[in-house]
Amino acid sequence: MVVSYDRHALHGHNDASLRMTFDFNLRCRREELNLSKGSHGEFFIDPDLAVLEVKVDHSVPLWLARILQRLECEQRSASKFCVSTEMLAEELVCGDAEKETIEI
């Protein structure tokens, strides 16, 4: 399986331990596994959404916590690999295409 996404990465100007990434256009595919074929695939998260990861060594700065709260951001733990694996496995079980077995 190939998992692809576009990433915009930022780091704190005054605090190098603060890092944030915005991942968007999250796609996956189970065919054409050669990476030279590009980053195409099926969206496994709504293409109008982005995944924000806030990475800190200790705690999220108060100013950032307030911004995230004001924007009603939800804290969730998720794996891009696991979400895309579940989607592709569901397609194999529910799809009209010929059935295959996936070993995870």
Side-chain angles (χ1 to χ4, degrees), residues 66-75:
R66 286 182 176 156
I67 291 171
L68 296 174
Q69 184 178 30
R70 192 173 333 122
L71 294 173
E72 299 180 7
C73 292
E74 297 177 23
Q75 182 176 345

Side-chain angles (χ1 to χ4, degrees), residues 88-102:
L88 292 177
E90 190 174 293
E91 284 180 1
L92 290 176
V93 172
C94 300
D96 294 331
E98 75 181 59
K99 307 265 186 217
E100 298 178 35
T101 302
I102 294 180

Side-chain angles (χ1 to χ4, degrees), residues 3 14-15 21-22 28 37-38 46 65 70 85-86:
V3 177
N14 295 324
D15 180 2
T21 58
F22 293 88
C28 64
K37 299 290 184 179
D46 184 333
R70 192 173 333 122
T85 299
E86 289 172 5

Side-chain angles (χ1 to χ4, degrees), residues 13-26:
H13 181 70
N14 295 324
D15 180 2
S17 70
L18 172 60
R19 299 165 318 279
M20 296 173 53
T21 58
F22 293 88
D23 296 338
F24 49 97
N25 295 325
L26 291 100

Side-chain angles (χ1 to χ4, degrees), residues 35-77:
L35 296 180
S36 68
K37 299 290 184 179
S39 62
H40 66 279
E42 284 188 63
F43 288 103
F44 62 92
I45 291 185
D46 184 333
D48 293 329
L49 300 177
V51 175
L52 165 64
E53 292 182 48
V54 177
K55 303 163 189 174
V56 292
D57 289 343
H58 302 289
S59 61
V60 176
L62 184 57
W63 63 266
L64 180 55
R66 286 182 176 156
I67 291 171
L68 296 174
Q69 184 178 30
R70 192 173 333 122
L71 294 173
E72 299 180 7
C73 292
E74 297 177 23
Q75 182 176 345
R76 294 185 185 180
S77 295

